[in-house]
């Protein structure tokens, strides 16, 4: 069967297939038929070459010719809508006009809920599994060695972590949040309840920075320089205040000296965590400077593999969907890490602060146990892409 005939038979793809196509740069055109407001709040994002056009479903009903004219006939067109029905309808209209169109099964909701699990590092003494939620740009990790598993920045849908740990025949021994997250609801407390493993957090992050109320959920507090063992890994806590006052990085060292840094919102691959989400940008930026340029570097070498908890664009990852780089590479390529005086750094940061999503204040309340949202509210709070990085850094 010719390729064109095979393509013509495809009526839909699912979220996993979409993610594979985005990573490989195969999906180059998306037609989003939701209304303009929903499209403006969040959309499917891919590599830089991806083109996304918003033509609402009702435009196709009312002005079919003009709407179809906005779709490039030569492209493979993925049509997305909120759930599924309208995108299927629009894809059928396009197919009748010989456009190779198909829709996203389950709608954009299934894209938002997609979790992607991949081995990032495999050695003979242990491995690092990356668990991503691509639509949000969230990254989390499971480190497994000798039957012990540490979870780092686990996200809200906890079964994904339990599945990885159970498949390895391991037991969760440590649940490490790098900080009190503002953009997503942590799965840490729920995983602690389900597994009995301790949930670790720095005490400074157990106080809501705006409300000044203490966390009401159980946690085990961390201190700077504290060490743990996870199988054959040694784990050192490096206090890294700035994005939050209680942000920490976890440095995992293997038995033959290899080092892996879980930086949370400390260092990203092309940027770093914004210091204004506690409402005190001017006060916290010089603190971040000390963390970034003095506190952290003395623990790292150029070969340390850095794993951040967010990405802003898919282009930050490799073709295999893994988001990591060596510290040496980051010093050369991440503009945020280039040497600056404290005054230059502060001026740079304060002039690059992105939009502050108002729901981030509420998400921090959830992560402190101060409010308990139901599923609908939790999904609504987490809608869209994280905005944890400084813009243009
Ligand atoms: Fe954060």
């Amino acid at each position: 069967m010719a390729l064109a005939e095979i393509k013509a038979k495809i009526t839909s793809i699912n979220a996993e297939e979409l993610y594979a196509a985005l990573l490989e740069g195969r999906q180059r055109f998306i037609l989003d038929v939701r209304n303009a407001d929903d499209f403006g709040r969040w959309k499917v994002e891919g590599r830089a070459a991806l083109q996304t056009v918003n033509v609402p479903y009702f435009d196709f009903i009312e002005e079919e010719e003009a709407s179809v004219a906005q779709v490039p006939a030569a492209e493979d067109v993925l049509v997305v809508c909120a759930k599924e029905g309208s995108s299927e309808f629009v894809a059928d209209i396009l197919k009748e006009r010989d456009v190779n169109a198909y829709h996203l099964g389950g709608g954009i909701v299934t894209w938002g809920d997609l979790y992607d699990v991949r081995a990032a590092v495999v050695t003979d003494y242990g491995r690092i599994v990356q668990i991503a939620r691509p639509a949000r740009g969230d990254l989390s990790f499971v480190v497994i060695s000798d039957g012990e598993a540490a979870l780092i920045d686990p996200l809200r849908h906890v079964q994904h972590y339990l599945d990885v740990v159970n498949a390895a025949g391991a037991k969760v021994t440590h649940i490490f949040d790098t900080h009190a997250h503002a953009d997503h609801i942590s799965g840490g407390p729920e995983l602690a309840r389900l597994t009995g493993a301790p949930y670790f957090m720095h005490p400074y992050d157990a106080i809501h920075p705006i409300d000044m109320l203490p966390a009401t959920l159980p946690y085990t507090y961390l201190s700077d320089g504290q060490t743990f063992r996870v199988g054959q890994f040694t784990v050192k806590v490096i206090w890294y205040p700035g994005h939050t006052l209680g942000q920490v990085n976890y440095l995992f060292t293997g038995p033959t000296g290899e080092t892996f840094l879980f930086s949370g919102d400390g260092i990203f691959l092309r940027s770093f965590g914004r210091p204004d989400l506690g409402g005190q940008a001017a006060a916290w930026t010089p603190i971040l400077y000390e963390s970034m340029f003095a506190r952290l570097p003395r623990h790292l070498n150029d070969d340390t593999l850095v794993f951040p908890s967010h990405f802003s664009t898919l282009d930050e990852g490799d073709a295999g969907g893994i988001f990591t780089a060596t510290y040496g590479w980051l010093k050369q390529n991440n503009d945020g890490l280039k040497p600056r005086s404290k005054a230059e750094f502060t001026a740079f940061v304060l002039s690059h602060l992105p939009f502050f999503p108002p729901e981030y204040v509420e998400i921090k309340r959830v992560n402190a146990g101060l409010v308990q949202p139901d599923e609908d509210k939790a999904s609504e709070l987490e809608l869209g892409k994280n905005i944890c990085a400084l813009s243009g850094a």
Side-chain angles (χ1 to χ4, degrees):
M1 197 185 295
L3 183 60
E5 285 177 60
I6 295 171
K7 283 182 169 183
K9 286 185 186 304
I10 297 172
T11 56
S12 69
I13 61 172
N14 63 29
E16 287 88 356
E17 291 164 333
L18 170 59
Y19 189 45
L22 292 173
L23 279 177
E24 292 162 20
R26 283 186 281 114
Q27 189 65 54
R28 293 184 11 209
F29 188 86
I30 292 179
L31 172 65
D32 191 320
V33 297
R34 294 173 300 154
N35 68 48
D37 282 353
D38 288 346
F39 179 76
R41 283 192 73 191
W42 77 294
K43 60 181 193 281
V44 178
E45 294 179 24
R47 296 198 183 279
L50 177 70
Q51 191 190 354
T52 305
V53 168
N54 177 221
V55 183
Y57 167 73
F58 285 108
D59 289 7
F60 274 92
I61 305 283
E62 288 165 14
E63 297 173 60
E64 188 174 312
E65 288 301 322
S67 299
V68 170
Q70 295 183 59
V71 179
E75 291 283 0
D76 293 347
V77 177
L78 173 66
V79 189
V80 301
C81 67
K83 290 195 174 136
E84 182 162 359
S86 359
S87 59
E88 190 172 10
F89 180 86
V90 170
D92 282 346
I93 291 177
L94 294 171
K95 269 185 181 300
E96 281 166 17
R97 291 162 184 261
D98 291 330
V99 176
N100 181 39
Y102 41 91
H103 70 277
L104 177 63
I108 201 165
V109 178
T110 64
W111 170 241
D113 286 344
L114 177 71
Y115 278 67
D116 177 75
V117 179
R118 294 170 193 250
V121 173
V122 178
T123 72
D124 55 3
Y125 57 85
R127 61 199 167 99
I128 298 171
V129 178
Q130 173 192 279
I131 301 185
R133 196 172 171 191
R136 308 208 67 259
D138 289 341
L139 301 165
S140 59
F141 304 91
V142 182
V143 183
I144 302 171
S145 176
D146 286 355
E148 298 187 338
L151 313 182
I152 298 155
D153 286 333
L155 304 167
R156 185 163 65 88
H157 300 96
V158 298
Q159 193 59 42
H160 300 285
Y161 303 90
L162 300 175
D163 289 348
V164 167
V165 173
N166 291 339
K171 180 179 184 318
V172 178
T173 54
H174 301 77
I175 302 168
F176 292 127
D177 253 340
T178 52
H179 63 294
H181 299 280
D183 72 291
H184 66 265
I185 295 170
S186 172
E190 173 70 356
L191 283 157
R193 197 179 64 75
L194 292 170
T195 65
Y199 171 56
F200 292 97
M201 185 160 57
H202 190 283
Y204 276 4
D205 270 16
I207 298 171
H208 191 285
I210 309 273
D211 302 347
M212 299 307 288
L213 291 171
T216 59
L217 47 81
Y219 72 98
T220 305
Y221 84 81
L222 293 166
S223 55
D224 188 29
Q226 188 173 2
T227 59
F228 300 92
R229 280 201 77 85
V230 176
Q232 295 186 50
F233 288 101
T234 303
V235 185
K236 181 185 261 184
V237 176
I238 304 168
W239 183 43
Y240 186 99
H243 174 64
T244 65
L245 289 185
Q247 158 98 45
V248 300
N249 285 208
Y250 297 99
L251 184 66
F252 280 59
T253 303
T256 39
E258 305 88 338
T259 49
F260 310 93
L261 184 79
F262 295 93
S263 191
D265 289 15
I267 299 174
F268 299 137
L269 299 185
R270 293 203 186 148
S271 180
F272 54 86
R274 56 193 292 185
D276 61 315
L277 294 177
Q280 301 192 57
W284 289 12
T285 302
I287 297 172
L288 177 64
Y289 180 84
E290 293 295 327
S291 295
M292 192 179 293
F293 294 100
R295 299 186 60 82
L296 184 63
R298 63 175 175 256
H299 298 281
L300 309 184
N301 58 57
D302 283 356
D303 294 330
T304 302
L305 215 42
V306 177
F307 291 90
S309 286
H310 291 299
F311 62 85
S312 294
T313 76
L314 270 192
D315 291 312
E316 292 172 47
D318 64 19
I322 300 296
F323 293 81
T324 189
T326 64
Y327 185 55
W329 185 91
L330 289 168
K331 282 189 293 185
Q332 296 294 322
N333 294 283
N334 183 336
D335 278 351
L337 293 184
K338 79 177 187 196
R340 290 182 171 92
S341 70
K342 190 184 282 188
E344 287 169 344
F345 180 77
T346 302
F348 166 70
V349 168
L350 296 182
S351 62
H352 287 81
L353 294 173
F355 171 67
F356 188 150
E359 60 271 21
Y360 279 15
V361 175
E362 185 72 358
I363 291 174
K364 281 215 184 217
R365 290 189 185 112
V366 178
N367 284 332
L370 299 170
V371 292
Q372 282 88 31
D374 61 19
E375 175 59 32
D376 285 352
K377 180 67 179 171
S379 293
E380 188 189 321
L381 285 170
E382 290 188 331
L383 193 66
K385 191 78 165 281
N386 84 84
I387 315 181
C388 294
L390 207 71
S391 54

